[in-house]
Amino acid sequence: MKKLFKIAINFMAIAVMAVATFGLAACEDIKKLELSLNVYNYTDNAFYAEKDVKFSVDLYRHLAPKTVDKVLEHVKNGYYDNAVFYEEAGIIMVGDLKIDENGNVVQNLIDGKLPSEIYGEFESNGTKGSNLVNKKGSIGIWRSYYANDTETYKTSSNARNSGRATWFIPISEKTGYDGYFCVFAQYDTENTANAKAIEAITAIFANADYYTEYVIYYTGEYDTEKPDKNYGLTFNAVKKADFDDETEVFKAEGQQLVCFNKKTVKIPNVVGGEVSAKIKSVK
């Protein structure tokens, strides 16, 4: 009887250890981030209280370990602090743009360089695990394409690995992106603060009085030896109203990344010295 009792105790101990190990693994798999935001409420003419638009994000490391580890590294280094939310082609973006003390739109750099490129963890690049889809509630890493000779874009193994640190946050389904972009995180759309944050940010981009359109473009010669320096190109951002259509800008050809092509984005206005939609800090 005593022997059976000891066996039962040992079995229970093993079971408890297994549960604990599983719990630790689960904690390792899902990383949680809390984003403190600066979002302006144009109806009340005041910034929302931080607690009302605090944004909670779950990072899925078991699906995209290289991407999540790089994002966490950037968080630790403060890369996303003060990054501006903006809209490009109907998608909310954040990470690669900031507004400096003079009110200019500038690139978000690390020691004067772009963040390093990340291996594309999605199905078309050979990673089966990252099977999350692009819909409201998901967050992905933006990447580029290569140009080809027929005025269209193509994706190759190198282009698939061109993502760096910019998050894209769909506000509707983008099924054409499924399997071609790394969806590394999700947020609970039913969470009150999350829902309020997304609602408040999208409201800014829905009203032309609350944002300013900027033309972002690059000039210079594309240099494949300088991936951390815009491939040798110079970043420019001017208000759309001030952009001269005669300006000679870079246009990707062949094996050149089209993310350096001219584009128009919506940048939230500055109110009382503060950007009306940005990340204040991440922890």
Side-chain angles (χ1 to χ4, degrees):
M1 187 70 180
K2 288 182 178 180
K3 187 175 181 180
L4 288 173
F5 180 74
K6 287 182 178 179
I7 291 173
I9 291 296
N10 289 337
F11 180 79
M12 289 175 62
I14 291 171
V16 169
M17 289 177 64
V19 170
T21 301
F22 177 80
L24 288 172
C27 290
E28 178 68 16
D29 284 345
I30 299 178
K31 303 288 188 178
K32 294 185 177 293
L33 293 180
E34 292 284 341
L35 281 66
S36 295
L37 306 183
N38 229 45
V39 185
Y40 195 73
N41 183 343
Y42 281 90
T43 301
D44 294 341
N45 295 319
F47 281 95
Y48 285 99
E50 265 190 51
K51 63 180 178 61
D52 293 334
V53 289
K54 191 175 287 293
F55 201 59
S56 303
V57 177
D58 290 336
L59 311 184
Y60 293 95
R61 191 178 181 281
H62 57 302
L63 300 181
K66 292 183 175 66
T67 302
V68 169
D69 285 349
K70 184 59 69 173
V71 167
L72 291 174
E73 178 186 318
H74 294 329
V75 168
K76 183 178 179 180
N77 294 332
Y79 176 80
Y80 294 105
D81 296 355
N82 298 310
V84 174
F85 288 96
Y86 64 96
E87 184 184 289
E88 180 183 345
I91 300 175
I92 295 172
M93 305 275 201
V94 68
D96 58 328
L97 297 179
K98 290 186 175 182
I99 293 181
D100 68 12
E101 62 275 9
N102 298 315
N104 299 314
V105 176
V106 297
Q107 279 185 298
N108 191 8
L109 303 174
I110 300 173
D111 296 327
K113 299 179 180 180
L114 293 176
S116 58
E117 294 174 329
I118 311 171
Y119 173 78
E121 295 176 298
F122 42 83
E123 188 171 0
S124 68
N125 206 30
T127 298
K128 300 294 185 182
S130 186
N131 56 0
L132 298 175
V133 297
N134 294 272
K135 62 179 182 179
K136 188 173 183 179
S138 67
I139 300 174
I141 285 287
W142 191 247
R143 67 173 182 84
S144 187
Y145 293 90
Y146 278 125
N148 66 18
D149 297 331
T150 59
E151 299 294 321
T152 58
Y153 301 158
K154 65 181 179 180
T155 184
S156 70
S157 58
N158 289 336
R160 291 190 184 103
N161 300 330
S162 63
R164 296 181 184 269
T166 304
W167 297 9
F168 71 89
I169 307 174
I171 54 178
S172 61
E173 286 192 331
K174 297 288 183 182
T175 55
Y177 290 179
D178 293 346
Y180 292 92
F181 286 79
C182 178
V183 179
F184 69 96
Q186 290 184 322
Y187 62 93
D188 181 2
T189 59
E190 300 300 317
N191 175 282
T192 302
N194 286 349
K196 177 61 71 175
I198 293 296
E199 177 187 349
I201 292 168
T202 54
I204 288 174
F205 299 125
N207 192 319
D209 291 332
Y210 305 158
Y211 66 83
T212 301
E213 287 191 299
Y214 278 77
V215 176
I216 294 177
Y217 64 98
Y218 295 80
T219 53
E221 297 291 328
Y222 194 96
D223 186 343
T224 57
E225 300 300 316
K226 298 179 179 178
D228 61 344
K229 291 285 189 179
N230 295 325
Y231 285 91
L233 302 168
T234 299
F235 172 89
N236 299 273
V238 299
K239 293 179 181 179
K240 184 179 179 181
D242 299 331
F243 180 73
D244 183 353
D245 288 332
E246 300 302 316
T247 302
E248 188 172 337
V249 301
F250 168 79
K251 184 176 181 181
E253 297 178 353
Q255 293 294 296
Q256 297 175 341
L257 294 173
V258 301
C259 58
F260 298 107
N261 285 356
K262 183 183 73 172
K263 60 186 178 183
T264 301
V265 300
K266 297 177 181 179
I267 303 289
N269 291 336
V270 173
V271 180
E274 288 283 358
V275 182
S276 59
K278 73 174 185 177
I279 297 174
K280 290 180 66 176
S281 63
V282 186
K283 63 179 181 179

